[in-house]
Amino acid sequence: MLEIRDLHAAVDGTPILKGITLTVNAGEVHAVMGPNGSGKSTLAQVLAGHPAYEITSGEILYKGENLVEMEAEERAQQGVFLAFQYPVEIPGVSNAYFLRAAYNAKLKAAGKEEVDPMEFLDLVEEKLKLVDMDPAMLHRSVNAGFSGGEKKRNEILQMAVLDPTLAILDETDSGLDIDALRIVAGGVNALKRPDNAAIVVTHYQRLLNYIVPDQVHVLAGGRIVKSGGKELALELEARGYDWLLEAVA
Amino acid sequence: MSTTLSAPALLEQANHAAAADVPAVLRAARAEGAEQFAALGLPTTKNEDWHYTSVSSLAAIPFAPMTGDDSDLSPDALAEHRLDASWPTLVFVNGVYQPSLSDTSALPAGIRVLPLGDAVSALGDTVSRLLGSTAPASRDGFTALNASFLGEGAVVHVAKEMVIDTPVHLLYVTTDAGANGMHHPRVLMLAERHAKATVVESWVGLTEQPYFTNAVAEVVVEDGATLTHLKVQREGRGAFHVATIEATQGRDSHYVSFCFTTGGALSRSTISTLLNGAGCGTTLNGLTMLDGAQHGDVQTRIEHAQPQCFSREIYKSILDEHSHGVFNGKVYVHPIAQQTDGKQTNNTLLLSKTAQVDAKPQLEIFADDVKCTHGATVGQIDQTALFYMKSRGVDADTARQLLTYAFAADVLETIENETVRDALELVTLHRFTSLATVTG
């Protein structure tokens, strides 16, 4: 589904990613871990198409197509979804309207009929239950005045509505208490299917108790320095990152 | 009788008009207005308050007083601007009150709404009390000019303890028949003790031709009263619009103003209130949306003259193409006005590199126990929010339009009257976006 080959990316001329190679197959969950500044979030943003990052070499193939050439909105319409580390507040645009605009954009790109507000409300009410969200939140402005936990739940709600093929969760666990973490992880697990995949970017192993990865990759200095099974995450939790960094230095 | 706005020609005009059948109270005010205009003239950019707005283009055009010709007024176009046909409404077409298009029969006893001409006899006490009280002819050239042509306008009188939820609508429409004309309406509003009412003033231009609106409103809000005053400026693209609103407030009163500006080639709105009783407050909010070569200037002045008063102010502007926005928010706190609580916010969204804004908060505080804050921002569309929306599949154009609308929406939400709020939200949506709706 996703093939990243020797990917180099820079921001304002400063190289951040220095040769990432990663393959994610349908039905898999991959965890990307690493210390602060290792390039984890950059990788997530690059996959979503953030314009601040320049791909200097390498390629990204998504369902066999060149992802780098697609605009962010096109990637989303094709099933790529990024759950933001810091979800953006948009005062003045209601959550319900925003969700429907996103949902309809995807339908339209697939050549399907758009849904009207009533139909959409039925659909979204189902998804609200998944993340244990109050329907009243739909009528508030997108993320405006939401608590940290509410923002993250709102990200998963968007993910549930858009039903992505490739979901990238960028430190969705940071700042969450254990109850919120359970709800968020439960939402992600419920959306898992054999025909989709997820990349879970996290600093801590804690989230991986709830979202069990098929593979764990450790990023440091813009490269993957180690890959392994879920037990690698436990080892990182026990020993920290330093031993790995020393080993590759 | 066309002439540029030079003093000698004007005096001649005013004298000529005074000879006609004009009530004595207006005649006296006209004479004083003409005299003051001769002394003051039109402001130049050397005047600090007019530094960013030049009226030389206005002064160069020979405007003739409008005649009220309504032969080209389309009933459909008028209907669209009534907002709600059931509201008590006075309609002015090309500068002149039109009884056949107006209807105030739904007004309950205790609130009187009359065209100025009728009010001189029917509400003589109110007229003599208010006329020239908060906006004397000596105030500036435009107020003097307005006084020298006194005749059209309205009086709104809300008796004490009278509470009316239905707004009163004063609707001024200019059509092609008003091209190269000028009008100088004067509105007097009095909300007596503990009264509560809403007045909407709409300025609509159904012509691209130049014309000149020079309006003055004098507003008195007595103790405990709440007056909401919504100004909707949708003049034609060739129009010059100068409006001066001067309010004075009693103890525990609340004056709520919204200034919506989107029309005119050149517009200037001055909204000023004197917080003249302990515990009173004012809310002055507004939204300006300009494009092309439009120039829109909003001046506010809040004078805290008594203790424990509050003021809240949110002004937003969206400027596209070569437009020029000006905002000057003056807050003056007298030494006696302790425990003043003032907050001013001014945000501008620039949609093009060639749009320009001059924004100036001006706080003059002479009391020591006050809480006054102000914040001003000038920016472009938030790139982070834009990417966020795109990452959800929303195309860049739609995302930009949504963010532009959202910028405006949060100040429009402060309008309490739902009909006005919905109408202005729709105008805003259509101004800079091709979106049909943003609800649901």
Side-chain angles (χ1 to χ4, degrees):
Chain A
M1 171 176 299
L2 181 72
E3 275 193 74
I4 304 174
R5 291 182 193 149
D6 194 27
L7 181 69
H8 289 68
V11 62
D12 294 331
T14 308
I16 309 281
L17 301 182
K18 300 168 185 169
I20 303 262
T21 296
L22 177 66
T23 300
V24 177
N25 297 311
E28 291 180 349
V29 174
H30 288 237
V32 173
M33 302 184 70
N36 292 329
S38 60
K40 303 189 298 278
S41 279
T42 298
L43 177 61
Q45 301 265 337
V46 162
L47 289 174
H50 196 292
Y53 300 96
E54 191 199 345
I55 312 296
T56 47
S57 68
E59 57 181 358
I60 310 172
L61 295 177
Y62 168 68
K63 295 198 278 193
E65 290 192 49
N66 185 352
L67 195 70
V68 178
E69 282 182 0
M70 296 184 197
E71 284 290 321
E73 58 267 41
E74 204 183 338
R75 300 182 194 200
Q77 290 159 8
Q78 298 299 321
V80 176
F81 180 89
L82 171 66
F84 279 51
Q85 181 178 4
Y86 304 109
V88 181
E89 298 193 6
I90 312 175
V93 177
S94 84
N95 230 355
Y97 181 84
F98 181 51
L99 277 167
R100 187 162 61 87
Y103 186 71
N104 277 336
K106 196 173 175 184
L107 288 178
K108 201 175 157 193
K112 294 180 186 159
E113 276 289 294
E114 299 184 19
V115 296
D116 66 36
M118 293 312 289
E119 285 174 85
F120 183 71
L121 219 54
D122 288 344
L123 180 142
V124 82
E125 265 168 18
E126 277 301 301
K127 311 290 183 187
L128 280 167
K129 289 176 199 151
L130 198 67
V131 285
D132 195 22
M133 240 168 88
D134 183 346
M137 304 284 274
L138 288 176
H139 305 294
R140 287 173 55 184
S141 291
V142 179
N143 294 325
F146 285 25
S147 70
E150 285 170 340
K151 284 181 182 171
K152 296 297 174 82
R153 267 192 263 181
N154 205 25
E155 292 293 285
I156 305 305
L157 174 68
Q158 292 174 18
M159 177 176 157
V161 167
L162 295 174
D163 189 23
T165 310
L166 175 66
I168 304 141
L169 306 170
D170 187 8
E171 305 216 18
T172 300
D173 53 330
S174 62
L176 289 188
D177 64 32
I178 197 70
D179 291 331
L181 185 71
R182 275 203 194 100
I183 292 166
V184 165
V188 173
N189 288 331
L191 296 169
K192 194 181 167 190
R193 285 198 315 259
D195 63 344
N196 64 20
I199 297 174
V200 180
V201 174
T202 180
H203 188 76
Y204 307 103
Q205 181 271 339
R206 182 180 67 153
L207 177 67
L208 305 179
N209 291 334
Y210 301 95
I211 302 173
V212 180
D214 299 291
Q215 281 192 54
V216 176
H217 310 279
V218 181
L219 218 62
R223 292 186 188 89
I224 292 176
V225 295
K226 193 168 177 64
S227 295
K230 62 184 175 200
E231 62 288 344
L232 176 58
L234 292 168
E235 193 174 357
L236 287 169
E237 183 73 2
R239 297 177 63 188
Y241 289 108
D242 288 349
W243 63 280
L244 260 179
L245 302 184
E246 282 159 20
V248 294
Chain B
M1 223 170 60
S2 287
T3 172
T4 52
L5 300 169
S6 68
L10 190 80
L11 278 169
E12 196 182 311
Q13 263 188 40
N15 288 336
H16 174 80
D21 185 20
V22 174
V25 58
L26 299 187
R27 210 160 44 222
R30 279 188 183 191
E32 201 206 332
E35 208 173 294
Q36 288 290 349
F37 186 74
L40 295 165
L42 291 178
T44 68
T45 51
K46 285 181 191 144
N47 179 329
E48 198 195 332
D49 288 343
W50 290 86
H51 187 64
Y52 299 110
T53 297
S54 165
V55 295
S56 56
S57 55
L58 161 69
I61 300 176
F63 292 108
M66 288 187 184
T67 59
D69 177 1
D70 67 347
S71 53
D72 65 343
L73 176 66
S74 131
D76 288 349
L78 181 67
E80 188 196 321
H81 289 284
R82 282 185 184 274
L83 298 175
D84 184 329
S86 73
W87 291 351
T89 303
L90 300 187
V91 177
F92 300 80
V93 180
N94 293 322
V96 177
Y97 170 62
Q98 295 289 344
S100 63
L101 300 172
S102 304
D103 185 0
T104 56
S105 58
L107 283 173
I111 172 164
R112 307 283 303 276
V113 179
L114 293 171
L116 185 60
D118 296 353
V120 167
S121 50
L123 286 168
D125 289 350
T126 311
V127 172
S128 24
R129 179 178 158 190
L130 265 69
L131 187 61
S133 65
T134 65
S138 56
R139 189 189 174 282
D140 71 350
F142 285 105
T143 311
L145 191 59
N146 175 284
S148 69
F149 283 97
L150 269 175
E152 289 296 336
V155 176
V156 178
H157 182 139
V158 194
K160 72 171 186 180
E161 291 168 27
M162 178 69 208
V163 174
I164 175 169
D165 291 326
T166 308
V168 168
H169 195 188
L170 308 176
L171 173 55
Y172 311 83
V173 183
T174 303
T175 66
D176 283 329
N180 298 310
M182 60 176 176
H183 66 134
H184 305 269
R186 174 75 59 119
V187 172
L188 309 174
M189 296 187 206
L190 171 62
E192 290 187 348
R193 294 165 68 94
H194 301 293
K196 189 176 179 195
T198 298
V199 177
V200 182
E201 284 194 276
S202 296
W203 310 87
V204 174
L206 302 174
T207 174
E208 305 281 306
Q209 300 294 316
Y211 63 91
F212 173 36
T213 297
N214 178 34
V216 173
E218 298 184 87
V219 179
V220 174
V221 191
E222 288 190 350
D223 294 358
T226 298
L227 185 71
T228 300
H229 186 185
L230 310 173
K231 175 178 188 277
V232 180
Q233 192 271 85
R234 300 177 66 190
E235 299 273 29
R237 297 301 289 249
F240 295 85
H241 176 97
V242 177
T244 305
I245 296 171
E246 285 279 353
T248 183
Q249 298 181 235
R251 190 187 171 95
D252 299 319
S253 66
H254 193 188
Y255 177 64
V256 181
S257 153
F258 197 97
C259 178
F260 184 86
T261 301
T262 193
L266 185 153
S267 73
R268 158 105 166 186
S269 296
T270 303
I271 299 170
S272 158
T273 186
L274 174 67
L275 304 178
N276 206 23
C280 72
T282 188
T283 306
L284 305 184
N285 293 344
L287 173 65
T288 298
M289 296 184 290
L290 307 173
D291 61 10
Q294 285 183 292
H295 180 103
D297 179 345
V298 175
Q299 306 271 319
T300 66
R301 179 187 165 91
I302 299 168
E303 190 171 342
H304 284 263
Q306 291 294 326
Q308 285 129 17
C309 296
F310 70 89
S311 54
R312 291 285 178 275
E313 193 170 12
I314 306 170
Y315 264 85
K316 293 203 169 196
S317 304
I318 303 176
L319 307 175
D320 198 4
E321 298 175 341
H322 295 275
S323 62
H324 184 184
V326 179
F327 175 76
N328 187 356
K330 202 177 282 182
V331 178
Y332 189 99
V333 182
H334 286 255
I336 189 187
Q338 298 294 1
Q339 282 126 47
T340 285
D341 177 2
K343 190 173 182 199
Q344 181 186 93
T345 309
N346 173 227
N347 308 118
T348 303
L349 176 62
L350 298 176
L351 296 181
S352 83
K353 287 192 171 73
T354 47
Q356 188 189 341
V357 63
D358 289 291
K360 188 166 78 167
Q362 216 181 328
L363 273 57
E364 294 178 46
I365 299 169
F366 298 98
D368 51 19
D369 178 18
V370 301
K371 194 170 74 186
C372 274
T373 62
H374 72 88
T377 63
V378 177
Q380 286 147 0
I381 291 276
D382 178 359
Q383 292 300 313
T384 312
L386 190 65
F387 174 61
Y388 187 64
M389 295 182 116
K390 286 172 68 176
S391 80
R392 298 301 179 251
V394 179
D395 68 84
D397 266 358
T398 305
R400 238 178 244 119
Q401 293 179 11
L402 267 174
L403 289 169
T404 303
Y405 175 75
F407 175 86
D410 89 330
V411 68
L412 290 172
E413 276 167 20
T414 65
I415 298 173
E416 211 170 294
N417 183 276
E418 204 180 331
T419 306
V420 178
R421 187 177 65 235
D422 288 353
L424 296 189
E425 282 178 352
L426 213 58
V427 172
T428 302
L429 196 62
H430 295 161
R431 188 70 166 86
F432 285 120
T433 86
S434 55
L435 306 169
T437 171
V438 289
T439 53

